[in-house]
């Protein structure tokens, strides 16, 4: 079959949600074109504790590199992206959280009517099943409010089964002693404070719950849902349309087994290739900034300068998967406490794997980090100083699209908000590799992940060539506004303050990284520049904003200038959110499916 009602490009997190929901209508046919294969039954995908093992593996990770980043000494930054049925939902680290209601409401106030906290709330609930045990509620001192959680949706969510040797308790006491509140449910629109974050893991099998297991597998035998794997979409095909009229998408061209194929869409084409590849496909199809398209000799179908602009990342010092990225804070930990470092001993790793396989318990039943806190700026920095600097740097943002300026103004406003976190600070009982620092055998380590949630530096992604198989040029523009660096310096100092509290004084020993030699602000800045990485939450590259503001899609997710081409993935989210993105992308995709079904 080569003709379908709907053709979805990208069988990732959002693509499979939309495809499965559209295929609920037995009178409609749906095809999904996915570049990777079916891999969700692999151990490295299924077992939570192995979630980092497939990073950089070309079968499962696109493994993009950014362009060399001036802000970090011209280093390119590694940008993993999932490949295969399930997309990044089969490669991600399974933390599931939501941003604050203020941030979702900002999507609407930036111009996307109907996209607010209350509305998305319905779809958070629809997408998930979450029924924590009383034992977990007591253990983690959490009180999720039933109103905000779903019990019958496809994605399974649980509290981490392995509690990391109860280190979260000491870590939270440290934060509480510095005035951070405890948050009994950080999915109800208020995210500030300490909270154990849940994981997308199936409680029955203790394996990963992804869009592949939750949305695709239960529907895979449906005659009207077809997933074409190992197929790379190369462009959207448009019919002839009178000039001045919106163009009509008629199908998609893709490459499989080195042969070019075509598939026809009688109703709609839906792009769900993710924040880096959706803008790439739009540009390859002639939709984007005229000047960029002309430079590559691509005929202009729709001139939309916002395509690939507004790349919003969360920068952070991150744990290292390779030599070139690293972390912000690691210290030795007292031997009496539990840490994942013992997995470095093959005998210990073998015992833990056996424990997982026989009893579904132990380190491998969970993801590496459970102890989270989300902090507004005032908890760790000087709001007045940072706000003044930010304001001056935003003024200097000349030449940007009007929407970009509005996004930055919103972010400026949030610097003094008590509801919008700027820092994610997560404790991990394990060594975070930084170049020049190696774990010593037999030692245990206490690390703190510091994620800057609303960086003011905004990047872009554009095609680097007309070859659909060539990676796009991803310019994070990281630290281009140096107020981001100032905030991170304060975050590093705050991490040091946390470990020096009474609650942690018998836990944390000598600092390994940044290391005692790194003292002054200038030294901390150099450390950050040398060690900064990004988290994996790019959004905004096909932003849902008005066309005049440089938006790419309207509030029905339809691409401006087209009759029937939509974008449904993380790239439509117009502003960075202080949360890991997956729960939001599930909700966006669920809402998108309802919009499409309604015929809007
Ligand atoms: C390593 C990693 C860890 C993460 N950890 C977390 C976490 O712990 N918690 C959290 O909330 N979020 C996490 N995320 C982020 C989260 O997984 C993403 O935000 C989410 O998956 C985005 O969904 P998407 O549908 O936009 O894109 P994706 O899920 O990436 O799907 C895009 C799909 O399109 C396919 N594709 C791309 N181009 C083409 C083409 N030309 N033709 C055909 N197919 C194509 C890709 O192969 C992929 O399957 C993580 C991400 C990564 C990469
Ligand atoms: C993913 O990781 C698992 C566990 O280490 C490994 O068995 C598997 O081969 C990896 N997959 C690929 C494609 O390399
Ligand atoms: C991290 O920073 C330190 C101090 O500036 C530097 O010596 C080290 O090389 C950096 N690590 C990486 C991975 O760049
Ligand atoms: C149009 C079409 O092919 N519809 C089919 C969708 O799948 C269901 C269940 O397999 C069938 O009953 C429909 O005929």
């Amino acid at each position: 079959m080569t003709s379908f009602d709907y053709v979805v490009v990208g069988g990732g997190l959002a693509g499979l949600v939309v495809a499965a929901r559209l295929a609920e209508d037995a009178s409609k046919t749906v095809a999904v074109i996915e570049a990777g294969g079916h891999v969700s039954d692999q151990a490295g995908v299924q077992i939570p504790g192995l979630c980092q093992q497939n990073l950089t593996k070309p079968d499962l990770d696109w493994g993009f590199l950014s362009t060399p980043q001036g802000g970090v000494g011209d280093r390119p930054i590694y940008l993993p992206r999932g490949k295969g049925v399930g997309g990044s939902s089969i490669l991600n680290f399974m933390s599931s959280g939501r941003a604050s209601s203020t941030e979702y409401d900002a999507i609407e106030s930036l111009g996307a009517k109907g996209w607010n906290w209350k509305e998305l709330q319905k779809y958070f609930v629809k997408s998930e099943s979450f029924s924590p045990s009383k034992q977990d509620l007591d253990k983690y001192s959490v009180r999720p409010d039933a109103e905000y959680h779903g019990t019958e949706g496809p994605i399974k969510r649980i509290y981490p089964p392995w509690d990391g040797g109860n280190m979260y308790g000491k870590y939270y006491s440290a934060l509480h002693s510095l005035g951070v509140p405890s948050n009994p449910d950080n999915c109800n629109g208020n995210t500030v404070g300490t909270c154990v974050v849940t994981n997308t893991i199936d409680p029955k099998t203790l394996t990963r719950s992804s869009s592949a297991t939750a949305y695709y597998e239960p529907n895979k035998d449906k005659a009207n849902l077809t997933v074409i794997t190992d197929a790379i979409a190369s462009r959207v095909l448009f019919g002839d349309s009178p000039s001045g009229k919106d163009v009509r998408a008629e199908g998609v061209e893709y490459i499989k087994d080195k042969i070019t194929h075509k598939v026809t869409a009688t109703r709609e084409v839906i792009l769900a290739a993710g924040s880096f590849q959706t803008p790439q496909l739009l540009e390859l199809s002639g939709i984007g900034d005229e000047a960029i398209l002309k430079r590559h000799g691509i005929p202009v179908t729709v001139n939309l300068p916002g395509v690939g602009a507004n790349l919003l990342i969360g920068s952070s010092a991150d744990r290292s998967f390779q030599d070139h990225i690293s972390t912000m804070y690691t210290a030795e930990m007292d031997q009496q406490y539990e840490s994942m470092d013992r997995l470095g001993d093959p005998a210990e790793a073998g015992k833990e794997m056996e424990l997982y396989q026989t009893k579904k318990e132990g380190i491998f039943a969970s993801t590496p980090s459970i102890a989270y806190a989300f902090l507004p700026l005032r908890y760790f920095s000087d709001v007045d100083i940072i706000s003044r600097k930010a304001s001056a740097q935003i003024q200097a943002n000349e030449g940007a699209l009007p929407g970009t300026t509005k996004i930055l103004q919103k972010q400026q406003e949030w610097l003094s908000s008590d509801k919008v976190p700027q820092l994610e600070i997560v404790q991990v009982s394990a060594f975070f590799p930084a170049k020049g620092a190696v774990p010593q055998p037999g030692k245990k380590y206490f690390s703190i992940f510091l994620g800057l949630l609303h960086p003011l530096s905004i990047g872009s992604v554009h095609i680097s060539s007309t070859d659909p198989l060539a990676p796009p040029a991803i310019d994070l523009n990281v630290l281009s506004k140096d107020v981001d660096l100032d905030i991170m310096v304060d975050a590093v100092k705050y991490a040091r303050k946390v470990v020096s509290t009474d609650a942690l004084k018998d836990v944390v020993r000598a600092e390994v990284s940044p290391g005692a030699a790194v003292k002054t602000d200038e030294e901390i800045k150099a450390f950050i520049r040398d060690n900064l990485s990004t988290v994996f939450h790019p959004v905004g590259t096909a932003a849902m904003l008005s066309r005049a503001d440089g938006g790419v899609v309207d509030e029905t997710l339809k691409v401006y200038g087209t009759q029937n081409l939509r974008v449904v993935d993380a790239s439509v989210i117009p502003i960075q959110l202080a949360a890991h993105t997956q729960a939001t992308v599930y909700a966006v995709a669920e809402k998108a499916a309802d919009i499409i079904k309604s015929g809007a």
Side-chain angles (χ1 to χ4, degrees):
M1 206 157 83
T2 56
S3 177
F4 299 84
D5 290 299
Y6 299 100
V7 175
V8 178
V9 178
L13 189 154
L16 295 180
V17 175
V18 162
R21 291 298 185 196
L22 293 176
E24 284 173 347
D25 178 347
S27 71
K28 303 286 187 324
T29 55
V30 183
V32 177
I33 299 170
E34 168 53 43
H38 288 287
V39 283
S40 53
D41 57 353
Q42 288 194 10
V45 173
Q46 288 191 340
I47 301 175
L50 295 181
C51 69
Q52 294 171 28
Q53 304 229 344
N54 289 129
L55 290 167
T56 75
K57 305 279 165 60
D59 284 355
L60 276 145
D61 179 2
W62 288 90
F64 293 120
L65 287 178
S66 73
T67 58
Q69 296 294 296
V72 296
D74 281 337
R75 274 188 301 132
I77 291 181
Y78 164 56
L79 299 164
R81 289 277 95 192
K83 190 176 187 176
V85 176
S88 298
S89 80
I90 58 169
L91 190 68
N92 73 22
F93 302 163
M94 290 166 264
S95 320
S96 180
R98 303 174 193 166
S100 66
S101 54
T102 308
E103 291 156 276
Y104 294 112
D105 287 344
I107 299 178
E108 180 158 54
S109 70
L110 285 168
K113 195 159 166 280
W115 291 82
N116 54 45
W117 161 251
K118 203 157 166 257
E119 176 69 10
L120 282 166
Q121 174 55 32
K122 289 195 275 196
Y123 294 103
F124 286 126
V125 167
K126 182 173 185 183
S127 65
E128 67 169 23
S129 285
F130 181 62
S131 305
S133 66
K134 182 167 183 314
Q135 195 192 342
D136 278 349
L137 300 185
D138 292 344
K139 177 161 93 175
Y140 292 126
S141 309
V142 279
R143 286 288 171 268
D145 183 339
E147 181 188 342
Y148 298 99
H149 300 271
T151 52
E152 279 153 38
I155 287 292
K156 310 283 187 287
R157 190 155 74 81
I158 61 174
Y159 282 109
W162 181 69
D163 69 7
N166 190 21
M167 192 51 69
Y168 62 91
K170 290 192 183 300
Y171 179 64
Y172 288 170
S173 300
L175 289 166
H176 298 160
S177 74
L178 296 173
V180 175
S182 165
N183 188 340
D185 179 9
N186 73 351
C187 285
N188 65 3
N190 167 34
T191 55
V192 174
T194 59
C195 196
V196 169
V197 164
T198 54
N199 295 150
T200 43
I201 294 175
D202 187 328
K204 288 214 182 74
T205 56
L206 270 297
T207 55
R208 176 191 294 266
S209 179
S210 65
S211 70
T213 64
Y215 287 89
Y216 172 62
E217 279 159 23
N219 297 305
K220 70 179 191 315
D221 298 326
K222 272 194 182 163
N224 45 351
L225 176 62
T226 305
V227 176
I228 306 167
T229 54
D230 305 297
I232 298 191
S234 43
R235 62 189 173 118
V236 179
L237 303 165
F238 295 98
D240 294 327
S241 66
S243 86
K245 277 264 159 53
D246 288 352
V247 294
R248 189 170 172 79
E250 297 198 326
V252 174
E253 186 184 88
Y254 66 91
I255 302 163
K256 186 176 161 92
D257 300 328
K258 302 205 167 89
I259 298 167
T260 301
H261 304 258
K262 278 180 191 168
V263 62
T264 303
T266 55
R267 287 172 184 271
E268 297 199 5
V269 172
I270 297 155
L271 296 182
S275 294
F276 298 141
Q277 287 150 298
T278 283
Q280 178 184 23
L281 276 163
L282 286 167
E283 290 182 345
L284 289 172
S285 311
I287 299 180
D289 185 332
E290 215 165 37
I292 292 169
L293 300 176
K294 284 190 176 145
R295 204 180 308 144
H296 289 281
I298 297 174
V300 179
T301 308
V302 185
N303 177 23
L304 274 187
V307 171
N310 295 329
L311 170 59
L312 295 149
I313 54 161
S315 51
S316 76
D318 202 350
R319 56 183 307 149
S320 173
F321 312 105
Q322 292 183 325
D323 282 352
H324 64 269
I325 48 174
S326 173
T327 188
M328 295 315 288
Y329 191 88
T330 296
E332 280 178 35
M333 183 161 75
D334 194 272
Q335 282 293 340
Q336 66 177 298
Y337 298 102
E338 167 72 317
S339 110
M340 285 181 281
D341 294 303
R342 63 186 169 80
L343 295 181
D345 172 356
E348 285 289 320
K351 264 198 281 183
E352 281 293 330
M353 188 47 83
E354 196 180 318
L355 185 62
Y356 175 77
Q357 266 151 359
T358 54
K359 292 189 170 158
K360 302 283 175 212
E361 284 173 10
I363 296 179
F364 288 113
S366 284
T367 62
S369 36
I370 67 168
Y372 287 71
F374 291 87
L375 307 182
L377 191 64
R378 74 168 171 84
Y379 287 88
F380 66 96
S381 182
D382 186 315
V383 174
D384 291 338
I385 294 175
I386 296 294
S387 295
R388 260 199 308 278
K389 275 205 167 179
S391 168
Q393 293 183 11
I394 290 169
Q395 302 298 325
N397 196 51
E398 286 158 20
L401 299 164
T404 311
T405 307
K406 289 183 187 170
I407 290 164
L408 285 167
Q409 282 163 350
K410 192 54 89 180
Q411 294 198 174
Q412 152 98 51
E413 189 185 311
W414 289 346
L415 292 171
S416 51
S417 165
D418 262 350
K419 281 211 71 185
V420 179
Q422 300 289 340
L423 179 68
E424 175 179 3
I425 175 167
V426 183
Q427 186 272 333
V428 182
S429 299
F431 186 79
F432 269 13
K435 211 182 272 168
V438 280
Q440 306 292 307
K443 285 202 168 155
K444 291 180 173 175
Y445 296 92
F446 179 102
S447 298
I448 294 179
F449 164 102
L450 299 165
L452 180 61
L453 295 165
H454 289 291
L456 292 153
S457 307
I458 294 186
S460 65
V461 52
H462 293 293
I463 47 171
S464 60
S465 129
T466 52
D467 177 359
L469 305 180
I474 306 168
D475 181 3
L476 305 171
N477 209 14
V478 68
L479 301 185
S480 58
K481 294 203 171 55
D482 66 13
V483 64
D484 289 344
L485 191 55
D486 293 318
I487 301 176
M488 293 206 80
V489 168
D490 288 343
V492 171
K493 290 181 179 167
Y494 187 75
R496 285 178 163 169
K497 198 165 154 185
V498 172
V499 299
S500 63
T501 55
D502 281 352
L504 290 172
K505 71 172 187 305
D506 65 337
V507 176
V508 178
R509 300 278 170 255
E511 181 173 308
V512 175
S513 163
V518 177
K519 289 192 194 95
T520 65
D521 283 10
E522 286 315 306
E523 285 164 351
I524 298 174
K525 281 185 187 173
F527 169 80
I528 294 168
R529 286 187 189 281
D530 279 353
N531 290 278
L532 182 126
S533 170
T534 81
V535 281
F536 315 123
H537 307 144
V539 302
T541 54
M544 180 166 46
L545 292 167
S546 74
R547 190 166 182 176
D549 277 347
V552 175
V553 299
D554 66 15
E555 65 253 14
T556 69
L557 304 180
K558 217 176 263 175
V559 176
Y560 291 114
T562 76
Q563 294 176 35
N564 62 337
L565 175 64
R566 296 198 212 234
V567 175
V568 179
D569 62 24
S571 43
V572 303
I573 300 170
I575 190 159
Q576 188 53 267
L577 305 166
H580 296 238
T581 31
Q582 67 167 342
T584 302
V585 183
Y586 281 116
V588 165
E590 286 278 14
K591 179 169 162 65
D594 275 1
I595 292 173
I596 297 169
K597 283 176 167 179
S598 78

